[in-house]
Amino acid sequence: QVQLVESGGGSVQPGGSLRLSCAASGFTFSLFAMNWYRQALGKERELVAFISGTGDSTNYANSVKGRFTISRDNVRKMVFLQMNSLKPEDTAVYYCNTFVNRPNWGQGTQVTVSS
């Protein structure tokens, strides 16, 4: 079955950086687009970044453009989210996602940006 396992979250000061990782298994990774979502306390889950199966196409929420970069390694079956210039409003649980027959989610990793 599809498994997605996120890691790399933590606490950082405003302006800092974090790199999230998501390890995937249970499906042909290179054939499927991958997404990063986030959900802040009391808010709806929102799409942060998208990457196509080949990695040739990416897209970002306006709120993170120029600060976040999504990438993938189809050999290691991993997707990454490099987050720079972090702001307090980036504080959320970040989830890895893909659609294989249905939406599939990881368990999430907490990112906290605070001074």
Side-chain angles (χ1 to χ4, degrees):
Q1 70 277 22
V2 174
Q3 282 197 314
L4 302 170
V5 180
E6 301 96 334
S7 61
S11 294
V12 65
Q13 292 188 339
S17 298
L18 282 173
R19 188 191 194 214
L20 306 183
S21 299
C22 172
S25 62
F27 63 105
T28 307
F29 183 72
S30 61
L31 296 182
F32 292 88
M34 299 295 297
N35 305 294
W36 283 100
Y37 281 76
R38 68 185 180 187
Q39 187 166 20
L41 199 62
K43 296 189 176 181
E44 291 188 358
R45 195 170 294 190
E46 64 171 346
L47 178 63
V48 174
F50 155 93
I51 188 166
S52 63
T54 60
D56 291 344
S57 179
T58 59
N59 203 3
Y60 299 91
N62 286 335
S63 58
V64 307
K65 274 182 184 175
R67 301 189 297 122
F68 291 12
T69 302
I70 189 170
S71 61
R72 65 189 294 157
D73 183 332
N74 283 351
V75 174
R76 291 196 291 160
K77 299 182 181 180
M78 296 189 71
V79 61
F80 307 99
L81 187 68
Q82 177 66 43
M83 305 186 296
N84 298 328
S85 302
L86 282 161
K87 304 176 180 179
E89 52 263 43
D90 295 318
T91 295
V93 178
Y94 284 71
Y95 297 91
C96 184
N97 162 272
T98 190
F99 190 95
V100 180
N101 300 319
R102 61 173 178 82
N104 294 274
W105 301 92
Q107 82 287 352
T109 186
Q110 176 71 47
V111 171
T112 302
V113 185
S114 173
S115 54

